[in-house]
Amino acid sequence: MGMRFAAYALLLGNLIIGMTVMGPAAMIPQLTADLDVSVTRAAFLITAGAIVLCIGSPLVAWITNGIDRRRLLAVSLAMIAVGQAGSALAPDMTVLLVLRVVSTAAAAIFTPQAASTIAMMVPEKERPGAISFVFLGWSLAAAGGLPLIAWSAGMFGWRPAFAGLGLGAAIAAVFLWLSVPAGLRAPPMSLASWGTLFSNRLVVMLIAATGIGTVGQFTIFTYLAPLVAELATATPTMIAVLFAVFGISGFLGNLAATRAVGRIGAYSTSIACFSVMLAGALVFAAGAGSYAVMLVGGALWGSGFAASNSMQQARLAAAVPALAGAAIALNSSAIYVGQAGGSVLGGVLFDAGWLVAMGYAGAAFLVVATAVIR
């Protein structure tokens, strides 16, 4: 029973982290209007956060590897709570950007260390399913969190949305402290440990596929709200529905992957996730201008969005069990590098008015990622 509550607490923490990291994408219309900034300037909140996360995730894994996991993860969520509450009061984009950097520095700790924490608590054969379950929090962030943020920001403004995230992070910190056992620590890491990771071909290929695929996804995802508004004249409600369809599909896809991995293995499940994600991105790109077709593409794409990364984490944990936390941290870093790169590429295309090309550019990166993952 104790392990089950701990797993739910880690899942809840990932839900908050996912909403914190991806949340600004659902607030871009309100941020641009209220703070009088361009779409690409508002989207820089995601880019800047991704840069901090890509550097911080492996660095924090190295520095904090021997720290009690309960304390480390609870403090991470508490720092996020403070950062989000402060963001709700930010007077301008500059202050908001600084608070974003602080919050994402704390977020860099959570997801990889949550995965390594649950891996310490279950038998080896149960680790892929347990890691995938904990990562369902990210799927739920996309399924319910982003639509809720998009709706609340549209109805009440972006400040209450940030305040709600701060409250959620505080609640998650308390739940985690009460449910995760004390004394969980990983062995300290040496410089040689990093050499071991980078000399492992499978580890390098998995991390490369993660980064390339994420560039493709965030070329589109960062600008999803203004993109659909421009191409399909979508209303705020229609945009919230698209986020919801994308997220619900992601949750169901991750749930299906959690069940399938025990039967067909992490490799086959991973191939299926990347393939369906690619198919969805292609449908989304080809359907530019038709809200209904873009909705179908979003549903297909979303079904592999979170599940693909769950399988990446499970395969990395299996490839280097003793260094699972560091390997997953590197994978998280690749995600954030991809987010930053995709946001920049999408911004260039958006500013140039090449809105239809954005979908095909994102799909092209997913083609490469799918080839690498094989």
Side-chain angles (χ1 to χ4, degrees):
M1 183 65 72
M3 195 282 289
R4 180 177 297 178
F5 278 115
Y8 277 107
L10 294 169
L11 183 153
L12 176 61
N14 269 328
L15 167 63
I16 297 299
I17 297 298
M19 292 174 68
T20 299
V21 170
M22 298 186 292
M27 307 181 203
I28 286 179
Q30 291 74 36
L31 288 167
T32 56
D34 192 43
L35 298 178
D36 193 25
V37 296
S38 67
V39 167
T40 49
R41 177 79 189 281
F44 189 70
L45 288 172
I46 298 170
T47 307
I51 292 170
V52 173
L53 287 162
C54 76
I55 297 170
S57 192
L59 182 62
V60 167
W62 184 16
I63 295 172
T64 66
N65 209 48
I67 296 177
D68 178 89
R69 286 296 186 266
R70 181 177 71 169
R71 182 179 299 115
L72 178 67
L73 295 174
V75 168
S76 168
L77 288 171
M79 290 174 64
I80 290 168
V82 173
Q84 298 305 294
S87 296
L89 303 174
D92 53 42
M93 180 58 73
T94 300
V95 174
L96 186 59
L97 183 60
V98 171
L99 289 167
R100 171 72 173 173
V101 168
V102 173
S103 294
T104 48
I109 299 171
F110 196 90
T111 295
Q113 301 312 320
S116 67
T117 297
I118 197 66
M120 295 179 197
M121 298 175 64
V122 299
E124 183 176 351
K125 66 178 182 179
E126 297 178 15
R127 284 175 187 167
I131 291 172
S132 184
F133 176 80
V134 166
F135 200 75
L136 279 173
W138 275 79
S139 298
L140 287 170
L146 287 182
L148 178 61
I149 290 172
W151 177 80
S152 62
M155 292 294 294
F156 308 111
W158 58 273
R159 294 183 188 277
F162 274 117
L165 285 173
L167 177 60
I171 293 171
V174 173
F175 184 30
L176 188 143
W177 182 265
L178 295 175
S179 57
V180 173
L184 293 174
R185 291 181 172 85
M189 287 188 63
S190 64
L191 286 174
S193 300
W194 294 108
T196 299
L197 289 174
F198 285 110
S199 64
N200 187 308
R201 183 177 180 277
L202 176 58
V203 169
V204 172
M205 293 298 284
L206 289 171
I207 291 170
T210 294
I212 294 167
T214 307
V215 169
Q217 294 184 75
F218 275 79
T219 297
I220 306 168
F221 189 82
T222 302
Y223 303 93
L224 191 61
L227 188 63
V228 178
E230 289 288 336
L231 289 175
T233 60
T235 65
T237 299
M238 293 166 70
I239 292 170
V241 168
L242 177 58
F243 275 118
V245 167
F246 182 93
I248 291 169
S249 297
F251 174 75
L252 294 176
N254 207 5
L255 194 61
T258 300
R259 295 179 177 178
V261 68
R263 298 193 305 272
I264 64 175
Y267 172 74
S268 297
T269 309
S270 181
I271 294 297
C273 292
F274 271 82
S275 298
V276 73
M277 190 163 54
L278 170 58
L282 287 170
V283 170
F284 184 91
S290 169
Y291 177 77
V293 176
M294 296 174 84
L295 201 64
V296 171
L300 286 171
W301 171 22
S303 65
F305 180 73
S308 61
N309 193 53
S310 295
M311 293 305 103
Q312 294 289 84
Q313 293 190 38
R315 292 183 69 190
L316 286 166
V320 282
L323 299 173
I328 293 170
L330 285 174
N331 188 66
S332 298
S333 184
I335 291 174
Y336 303 134
V337 169
Q339 287 182 5
S343 297
V344 170
L345 176 59
V348 170
L349 295 173
F350 191 92
D351 283 346
W354 296 345
L355 304 187
V356 175
M358 291 172 69
Y360 287 105
F365 277 95
L366 283 168
V367 169
V368 177
T370 304
V372 171
I373 203 69
R374 293 179 183 276

